[in-house]
Amino acid sequence: MNEVLSIVKEDKDIRAGNKKKINELVDAKVLPHFNFTHMTRLAVGKNWRNATPEQKKILETEFRNLLVRTYTTAFTTYQDQQVEVKPLKMKDDDTDVTVKTLIHDKTKQQPIPVNYDLEKTASGWKVYDLSIEGISLVTNYRGTFAEQIQKSGIDGLIKTLVEKNQAQVNKPPSKATPK
């Protein structure tokens, strides 16, 4: 986290909204630490078991793209916030932990709590959910996804995700100014 924030702080192109550089940073430094299969499965909820292997693969890809957009937007609004990682309470045999952080922002009186739920995998610790100010990303999407699936099935959810992601790709770049 500190490495990513340091890069963002030093790179004027990233802070100005250079999508190519932001995507390269996210791909190299953020995405390897997330378990998108587990996140997608949790977000889709009970409907996951009704999806075909092909639908599961597409859902994971499109949900990943949706989350990447969220991260890339956050980097363009970076203004020297400081991240405080709270002491971690875990035992040697734990396979699931929550890393609690506080984002200190000079423009806000209270720090913003951001918690990362991680699981131990064969390739190391991976994030499978995060909560911002007590609101779980996965739980938030689970409700939205369940509504979409109820209305138009899993293929309808896939179509909606594809359309949202494509709309962002076609959207003109923001005219953020470097800080």
Side-chain angles (χ1 to χ4, degrees), residues 35 38-39 41 95-97 117-121 124-128:
N35 183 340
H38 191 174
M39 289 179 87
R41 183 170 41 88
T95 58
D96 194 291
V97 297
D117 292 329
L118 291 95
E119 64 184 336
K120 191 172 191 175
T121 70
W125 289 92
K126 303 286 182 181
V127 175
Y128 67 88

Side-chain angles (χ1 to χ4, degrees), residues 36-53 55-60 149 154:
F36 289 104
T37 302
H38 191 174
M39 289 179 87
T40 307
R41 183 170 41 88
L42 290 173
V44 173
K46 65 181 181 182
N47 293 296
W48 182 255
R49 67 180 145 250
N50 299 327
T52 67
Q55 287 172 321
K56 288 176 181 177
K57 184 178 177 185
I58 296 168
L59 282 167
E60 182 180 340
I149 291 169
I154 291 171

Side-chain angles (χ1 to χ4, degrees), residues 2-172:
N2 287 329
E3 180 183 3
V4 169
L5 292 178
S6 176
I7 292 168
V8 171
K9 182 178 183 177
E10 299 299 320
D11 194 310
K12 291 177 185 167
D13 292 336
I14 289 175
R15 290 195 329 269
N18 181 316
K19 282 187 177 183
K20 183 177 185 293
K21 286 189 89 172
I22 294 169
N23 287 335
E24 288 170 357
L25 175 65
V26 170
D27 285 345
K29 302 292 183 183
V30 177
L31 299 185
H33 301 288
F34 282 76
N35 183 340
F36 289 104
T37 302
H38 191 174
M39 289 179 87
T40 307
R41 183 170 41 88
L42 290 173
V44 173
K46 65 181 181 182
N47 293 296
W48 182 255
R49 67 180 145 250
N50 299 327
T52 67
E54 183 179 334
Q55 287 172 321
K56 288 176 181 177
K57 184 178 177 185
I58 296 168
L59 282 167
E60 182 180 340
T61 299
E62 295 303 326
F63 189 48
R64 176 188 176 276
N65 291 341
L66 182 70
L67 296 176
V68 167
R69 278 200 343 261
T70 302
Y71 267 92
T72 57
T73 301
F75 289 143
T76 62
T77 62
Y78 176 75
Q79 306 263 331
D80 291 328
Q81 291 90 346
Q82 300 296 317
V83 178
E84 174 188 354
V85 180
K86 303 301 277 182
L88 181 63
K89 298 174 185 170
M90 71 179 276
K91 299 178 211 105
D92 288 341
D93 60 344
D94 282 348
T95 58
D96 194 291
V97 297
T98 299
V99 175
K100 297 180 179 188
T101 68
L102 293 173
I103 310 293
H104 297 277
D105 187 330
K106 295 173 191 169
T107 65
K108 297 183 177 24
Q109 288 185 337
Q110 296 295 319
I112 301 165
V114 179
N115 297 337
Y116 298 84
D117 292 329
L118 291 95
E119 64 184 336
K120 191 172 191 175
T121 70
S123 57
W125 289 92
K126 303 286 182 181
V127 175
Y128 67 88
D129 194 10
L130 61 108
S131 300
I132 301 171
E133 297 187 276
I135 300 170
S136 159
L137 180 92
V138 166
T139 302
N140 189 42
Y141 278 110
R142 186 180 301 136
T144 305
F145 288 1
E147 282 180 36
Q148 186 67 45
I149 291 169
Q150 188 175 11
K151 284 184 199 170
S152 54
I154 291 171
D155 285 331
L157 172 60
I158 290 171
K159 181 176 185 264
T160 299
L161 289 172
V162 168
E163 287 171 355
K164 280 184 181 182
N165 288 327
Q166 194 58 47
Q168 279 304 114
V169 169
N170 294 331
K171 184 178 176 182

